[in-house]
Amino acid sequence: MLSVSAQTLVAATVLVLLIACLLWLVFAFGLKLQPRASKGMAGANVLVASALLLSGLRGGLERPWLTVYAADLTGTAAFALLSLVPAWLEESRPPWRWPLALCLLALLLMPGFVMGWPMRWHGTVLYCLQAPLLGLASWQAYRLVRSRTRPAFALALSFPLGALTLLLAARAVEPLLWPGNTPDLRSGSGFNVAWLWAGLVLGMVVNSVVAFLVLVQLVLRIRKLTLYDPLTEVLNRRAIGQALEQAHARWRRGEPYALVLLDMDHFKALNDTLGHGAGDQALKALVGALKPCVRDDDALGRWGGEEFLILLCDTGLAGAALVAERMRANLEAQPLLWGPEQRRLTASFGIAEVLPEDSSPEAVLMRADQGLYQAKRQGRNLVQSRE
């Protein structure tokens, strides 16, 4: 039988994991929050709980080796599933190969202990297979958070998974430190009790951290819907307008800026002849030609229809002319392929820089619009300014 302290800790951990599983199912099916990641977390929690129950029950069964084998595979599958969750959160392709390879290795190696391998090495082999899976989950979580925030915050959020990895590694080296001891969750040793306490706490923390990441992804998605144009994935009119207001406020403190306003040429004719699907593809191609010319501090937004506005920070009229000309050349060099049709894409550009007499960004925008109108009148596919 389990000692009282170990039995209590295993029961508490199983209860916490099952409650977490129910909450993740609510996330997946009730709230529709990151369904794949939520289902993965629900599965991982229930598999870990099952592995703990199987490990605790095996002492009272006639054929404990069956339970040992089932617990080994269930626990390994749980950590393999957990290693895929960060990729599902990021909505990218999960790293299937390593988790699958380690699960297959567990499937092949664990029966050896049933057939007579020394049981003192059972825990070492098992946890050496499971620890890399948690290490992979920790690394994937770090990469996910690091792509959106500072390294210190990413380390803090991935730390619980890293700590769980170290916990499994400690279990793996226990037989090396204490050769006469066989790692067993039924043991009432101080090491085992401390290990179970750490597992209970870290299990709660890991679930909390992943839930936090799910909510962060939800907030980022809502932010994207409110700030970005859904077709071209550049700033919408409201967001680029706010960026322009902020740039004008910085100009009052001595930071210049310039604007590039462009309009795709003959866009209505393209829509009328090839259809709106081709028009949408043309707008995406236009954005693809513009983005390489836009720096991190600049802002690119859809001003309306086929009009786009680029805010160039710390740039004067000459710099804006160079950027606009690169954009014009990039677009002209990328014809639109639509079925058997091939269409040359061009745009007209108006540029303007902020001047001392400009009391508002609208004045700068008006001059850029006048330059755009002049480019249209002069034959299109040109860059013009109006000062």
Side-chain angles (χ1 to χ4, degrees):
M1 293 294 293
L2 292 170
S3 67
V4 175
S5 57
Q7 184 179 25
T8 302
L9 287 170
V10 170
T13 304
V14 169
L15 180 61
V16 167
L17 294 173
L18 292 178
I19 292 173
C21 175
L22 291 175
L23 292 175
W24 284 114
L25 290 175
V26 171
F27 269 39
F29 296 101
L31 302 177
K32 306 293 184 182
L33 295 178
Q34 295 284 338
R36 286 193 301 173
S38 296
K39 291 174 188 176
M41 286 301 296
N45 276 284
V46 77
L47 286 172
V48 172
S50 301
L52 289 173
L53 284 173
L54 289 168
S55 296
L57 288 173
R58 70 178 188 249
L61 300 179
E62 293 182 3
R63 296 184 179 180
W65 60 268
L66 287 174
T67 314
V68 172
Y69 188 42
D72 294 345
L73 297 184
T74 303
T76 307
F79 296 131
L81 193 57
L82 189 59
S83 71
L84 306 178
V85 168
W88 283 328
L89 277 173
E90 198 176 13
E91 298 182 349
S92 62
R93 186 177 179 181
W96 290 100
R97 292 182 180 179
W98 276 107
L100 183 60
L102 290 170
C103 284
L104 290 175
L105 202 55
L107 187 66
L108 295 173
L109 290 179
M110 289 302 105
F113 295 99
V114 176
M115 295 183 292
W117 291 0
M119 282 302 293
R120 66 178 181 274
W121 300 115
H122 171 260
T124 298
V125 174
L126 175 64
Y127 294 118
C128 279
L129 292 173
Q130 293 179 351
L133 293 170
L134 274 178
L136 177 61
S138 179
W139 170 243
Q140 293 287 334
Y142 173 79
R143 287 181 63 253
L144 170 64
V145 183
R146 178 65 185 89
S147 64
R148 291 163 172 78
T149 186
R150 297 178 180 178
F153 191 58
L155 282 172
L157 287 181
S158 59
F159 172 77
L161 282 167
L164 272 177
T165 304
L166 294 177
L167 204 63
L168 290 184
R171 200 81 188 191
V173 301
E174 185 188 4
L176 304 177
L177 300 177
W178 295 284
N181 186 38
T182 300
D184 194 334
L185 292 181
R186 297 173 297 173
S187 169
S189 67
F191 176 87
N192 188 60
V193 171
W195 191 89
L196 289 171
W197 266 115
L200 172 61
V201 173
L202 288 173
M204 292 188 290
V205 173
V206 165
N207 277 285
S208 301
V209 166
V210 178
F212 174 75
L213 292 177
V214 168
L215 295 176
V216 167
Q217 292 293 96
L218 176 63
V219 170
L220 291 175
R221 182 173 296 179
I222 293 172
R223 181 177 179 271
K224 185 175 182 179
L225 291 174
T226 57
L227 297 181
Y228 290 85
D229 174 61
L231 174 65
T232 59
E233 297 186 349
V234 298
L235 296 174
N236 58 27
R237 183 178 181 121
R238 174 174 171 269
I240 190 67
Q242 289 176 346
L244 183 54
E245 292 284 351
Q246 292 167 1
H248 201 74
R250 291 194 300 271
W251 167 71
R252 298 182 189 280
R253 300 192 297 269
E255 299 180 26
Y257 69 89
L259 298 179
V260 177
L261 183 65
L262 67 99
D263 183 270
M264 183 173 281
D265 297 329
H266 307 296
F267 184 72
K268 185 177 184 302
L270 177 68
N271 267 336
D272 292 342
T273 55
L274 297 183
H276 290 282
D280 291 346
Q281 193 62 36
L283 292 176
K284 292 179 181 179
L286 170 63
V287 169
L290 301 179
K291 279 186 174 180
C293 306
V294 179
R295 301 167 301 180
D296 291 340
D297 293 337
D298 300 331
L300 165 62
R302 188 177 181 183
W303 194 241
E306 64 273 22
E307 272 193 338
F308 290 81
L309 179 65
I310 300 96
L311 167 65
L312 302 173
C313 298
D314 197 22
T315 303
L317 192 64
L322 289 174
V323 172
E325 180 58 32
R326 285 201 301 270
M327 292 176 172
R328 188 202 64 78
N330 283 356
L331 180 62
E332 191 177 29
Q334 298 177 9
L336 174 68
L337 301 177
W338 188 255
E341 296 282 342
Q342 179 172 313
R343 288 292 182 94
R344 176 171 171 260
L345 298 178
T346 63
S348 301
F349 296 76
I351 59 173
E353 66 176 340
V354 63
L355 298 176
E357 61 268 22
D358 291 328
S359 59
S360 68
E362 284 75 17
V364 191
L365 186 60
M366 183 179 298
R367 290 198 302 277
D369 189 56
Q370 290 170 350
L372 172 59
Y373 181 68
Q374 185 174 338
K376 291 281 188 183
R377 282 194 309 170
Q378 293 181 355
R380 297 183 169 85
N381 194 25
L382 295 172
V383 177
Q384 293 291 334
S385 64
R386 184 72 178 269
E387 298 299 340

